[in-house]
Amino acid sequence: MGSKKFRVGVSGVSGIAQMLHLPILSKMANVEVSAVFDYDYYRAKRIAEKFKIKHVFNNFDDFVRSPNFDLLDICSPVNLHFSEASSAIKSGKHALIEKPFTQNAIEAAAIVELAQSKQKRIMSLMNLKFRPDAIALKSLLDSNKIGDVFFVKAGWLRRNEKWQQKAVFQKNQQGVIMHLGLQLVDLSLWLLNDPNVRTVKANGFRQIMKSWVEDTAFLHLGLENNVSVALEVGWKLDYGADFLYVNLLGEHGAAKLNPFTLLTENNGKLVETRSGETIFHDDPFHKSYENALSHFFYCLENDQPLQISGAEIINRMKIIDAVYESVKTGKEVELT
């Protein structure tokens, strides 16, 4: 990394901030976490002491106007992302925003437009595409190892957990589609070099948790060139363990993520190649955050374009808006 030191303020210090953002940022040579904000002052103070952070706030207006940092890392609930990101940009600060980026495409477009007008950098932390095995899979697909892909089936199934029942999810009527499905949509389209999505059909279910939001969902994306993407996501499935998978079928073979596998034909025989355990021995989820955060600061320091553009962020949120419309109406939705 370079010599420039970035001063970061972190908003919202529960959950993901404690598990990933703060531990990773505190070890980066070119980053100083200089301020934290949380409405729970005692939690913010406790976390600040743990990570040796100098400035603690429980008033957001005072926090965002503070001269003690120049980049805001937003780890707060999604219903606060739009207001916090907007305030940060207006205060002259860049913004790194945890997924989901915003509650809908309208909010996403407004943030992107504001950042462009103020010449500030923003990034949606869509970390799955920064997994080491996902990067390797993308390289394999780009080298045409399995030919043109015509079908993708992916899923993210989580065990019985309680965090997803937070009131903020129920308040915004957004469940597993927004919080897991969005990431699978992003990963799948990135692997395919971002083809246009023509149609969306989705079903959401609340039968397991009996909550206000969907805990299980099935999505189908109809892409250009007759390519199909089928996705399944679940928050409370007795699957035995959290499981993320991506399977791709191409004209000349197939490829899988987790475990990383390539299936090709050689002299009329099917050949299966798997990665050795040592290639991806680190936790791919944790590593994806390390890679994503490093990417953001590298691009800031070297004035390079971010892998996740503003147009891409808006596009992803439009797709999710269409997914929820399909769940509500029970009909296929066309995207323009």
Side-chain angles (χ1 to χ4, degrees):
M1 301 299 291
S3 57
K4 183 176 180 179
K5 197 82 168 182
F6 293 97
R7 299 177 307 154
V8 177
V10 177
S11 174
V13 293
S14 62
I16 199 73
Q18 294 183 35
M19 291 186 295
L20 290 164
H21 286 245
L22 288 168
I24 293 172
L25 291 173
S26 64
K27 294 179 181 178
M28 296 178 68
N30 63 336
V31 171
E32 176 192 0
V33 181
S34 56
V36 292
F37 159 80
D38 199 284
Y39 287 109
D40 185 335
Y41 177 76
Y42 296 102
R43 176 167 57 195
K45 190 173 186 300
R46 183 176 69 253
I47 296 303
E49 292 173 353
K50 178 180 179 180
F51 290 96
K52 298 179 174 58
I53 300 168
K54 297 177 182 178
H55 305 283
V56 182
F57 296 84
N58 68 339
N59 180 290
F60 184 80
D61 290 336
D62 293 341
F63 169 68
V64 79
R65 289 195 294 264
S66 169
N68 297 304
F69 65 97
D70 44 34
L71 186 151
L72 179 60
D73 181 10
I74 300 176
C75 299
S76 52
V78 63
N79 64 317
L80 300 176
H81 286 192
F82 175 74
S83 61
E84 291 191 1
S86 299
S87 296
I89 295 167
K90 291 175 182 177
S91 298
K93 294 173 169 63
H94 305 293
L96 177 66
I97 306 174
E98 249 297 347
K99 57 195 176 298
F101 185 72
T102 52
Q103 298 179 104
N104 52 58
I106 293 176
E107 288 185 352
I111 290 178
V112 170
E113 181 179 355
L114 178 62
Q116 291 173 344
S117 69
K118 299 293 186 180
Q119 296 184 319
K120 294 300 171 184
R121 308 295 292 276
I122 57 170
M123 187 173 103
S124 176
L125 216 164
M126 303 292 284
N127 60 289
L128 291 186
K129 67 180 70 173
F130 289 94
R131 287 172 55 116
D133 48 0
I135 294 170
L137 180 58
K138 180 70 162 64
S139 177
L140 182 152
L141 295 173
D142 288 346
S143 63
N144 203 36
K145 290 291 185 181
I146 63 171
D148 291 337
V149 174
F150 59 88
F151 181 66
V152 178
K153 187 174 189 299
W156 197 349
L157 309 175
R158 300 198 63 163
R159 296 176 297 172
N160 182 355
E161 297 183 12
K162 300 297 183 183
W163 64 267
Q164 63 271 21
Q165 300 184 59
K166 287 183 179 179
V168 64
F169 295 168
Q170 299 181 351
K171 177 182 177 181
N172 295 291
Q173 293 292 294
Q174 295 169 337
V176 73
I177 290 171
M178 177 67 86
H179 294 272
L180 297 186
L182 170 61
Q183 299 178 64
L184 279 186
V185 168
D186 179 68
L187 176 61
S188 300
L189 295 181
W190 174 71
L191 289 171
L192 298 175
N193 292 320
D194 290 304
N196 291 325
V197 178
R198 304 296 192 192
T199 61
V200 169
K201 179 68 173 72
N203 298 98
F205 303 92
R206 296 176 288 182
Q207 275 80 350
I208 299 176
M209 286 169 44
K210 309 297 183 184
S211 181
W212 296 353
V213 297
E214 77 284 350
D215 53 59
T216 309
F218 301 93
L219 289 60
H220 178 268
L221 309 182
L223 313 184
E224 60 184 341
N225 300 323
N226 200 32
V227 178
S228 291
V229 176
L231 307 174
E232 59 176 346
V233 286
W235 257 338
K236 189 181 178 183
L237 300 176
D238 293 327
Y239 198 77
D242 294 348
F243 184 53
L244 169 72
Y245 72 90
V246 181
N247 299 337
L248 304 101
L249 297 180
E251 294 175 309
H252 309 305
K256 297 181 180 181
L257 178 73
N258 196 25
F260 186 84
T261 307
L262 174 65
L263 297 169
T264 55
E265 185 178 332
N266 186 14
N267 295 325
K269 295 182 179 180
L270 187 64
V271 178
E272 178 177 313
T273 305
R274 290 197 178 199
S275 67
E277 291 294 328
T278 58
I279 297 178
F280 306 121
H281 65 279
D282 292 332
D283 175 13
F285 190 71
H286 188 278
K287 191 64 178 178
S288 71
Y289 268 85
E290 290 182 351
N291 290 341
L293 290 169
S294 294
H295 169 75
F296 183 57
F297 291 107
Y298 174 84
C299 291
L300 280 182
E301 182 171 0
N302 295 281
D303 195 25
Q304 294 295 311
L306 292 162
Q307 185 168 307
I308 306 170
S309 68
E312 183 179 288
I313 295 169
I314 297 169
N315 172 266
R316 299 295 191 260
M317 297 309 301
K318 284 182 177 179
I319 293 170
I320 294 301
D321 286 353
V323 167
Y324 275 110
E325 181 181 347
S326 178
V327 170
K328 182 179 179 179
T329 64
K331 299 180 180 179
E332 183 178 76
V333 175
E334 293 186 4
L335 283 85
T336 55

